[in-house]
Amino acid sequence: NLMEINSDAPVITRDEILIDAPVEAIWRIQTDVEAWPSWQPDVASAETEGPLEVGSVFRWQTAGLDITSTVEEMDAPHRIVWGGPAQGIVAIHVWSLEPTDDGVLVRTAESWEGEPVNAQPETLQRALDGSLRAWLENLKRAAENAA
């Protein structure tokens, strides 16, 4: 049973981008958590205890939030799911990488719930939309430059 986002959550973002690079290269960039700040201006710091696997915990800071994420599911180099609490927000984040004839289609879906989300869903919806769009564009740039 594949884990999915909470489709009943008050804030949900789905987005995708086509990347002209090998799927293994995109996967390597996406899952090298400690290198995130080198290609994501929004990520202030990131640390993990070794390579990602199911049950791995990593800590990172973005947009003033201190986030502790746990890898819930992983099928390299095609799918990774992580989630965790950040200051009252409970997030589930699903990533999938699908090679196509035109490149690799990277899809992301994330749900946010919790008291802070109930208090200002519109503001947080805009924040999450913008954050994931920037992440995808930065991932594309990093992977295509490396390729």
Side-chain angles (χ1 to χ4, degrees), residues 17-21 23 25-32 36 39-41 82 95-97 104-108 131-147:
I17 202 165
L18 197 62
I19 301 181
D20 184 16
V23 67
I26 301 167
W27 177 266
R28 194 163 54 244
I29 292 167
Q30 174 75 334
T31 58
D32 183 359
W36 283 356
W39 58 274
Q40 295 200 67
W82 65 66
W95 293 91
S96 67
L97 286 70
V104 177
L105 185 62
V106 177
R107 287 199 185 97
T108 185
S131 166
L132 292 186
R133 174 62 1 203
W135 188 318
L136 287 171
E137 289 173 356
N138 286 323
L139 179 61
K140 177 180 173 76
R141 189 178 307 118
E144 290 182 353
N145 285 348

Side-chain angles (χ1 to χ4, degrees), residues 61-79:
Q61 288 178 302
T62 184
L65 287 176
D66 287 301
I67 306 172
T68 300
S69 296
T70 302
V71 178
E72 305 287 351
E73 198 179 288
M74 186 159 141
D75 175 18
H78 297 292
R79 183 180 163 86

Side-chain angles (χ1 to χ4, degrees), residues 24-115:
E24 292 81 7
I26 301 167
W27 177 266
R28 194 163 54 244
I29 292 167
Q30 174 75 334
T31 58
D32 183 359
V33 171
E34 294 195 343
W36 283 356
S38 72
W39 58 274
Q40 295 200 67
D42 296 340
V43 176
S45 68
E47 56 187 43
T48 182
E49 292 147 18
L52 293 191
E53 55 190 12
V54 172
S56 289
V57 174
F58 56 95
R59 291 172 188 79
W60 50 301
Q61 288 178 302
T62 184
L65 287 176
D66 287 301
I67 306 172
T68 300
S69 296
T70 302
V71 178
E72 305 287 351
E73 198 179 288
M74 186 159 141
D75 175 18
H78 297 292
R79 183 180 163 86
I80 187 165
V81 181
W82 65 66
Q87 278 132 276
I89 299 173
V90 178
I92 302 171
H93 202 166
V94 178
W95 293 91
S96 67
L97 286 70
E98 183 191 324
T100 73
D101 292 341
D102 301 316
V104 177
L105 185 62
V106 177
R107 287 199 185 97
T108 185
E110 185 165 6
S111 60
W112 279 5
E113 57 198 298
E115 284 307 311

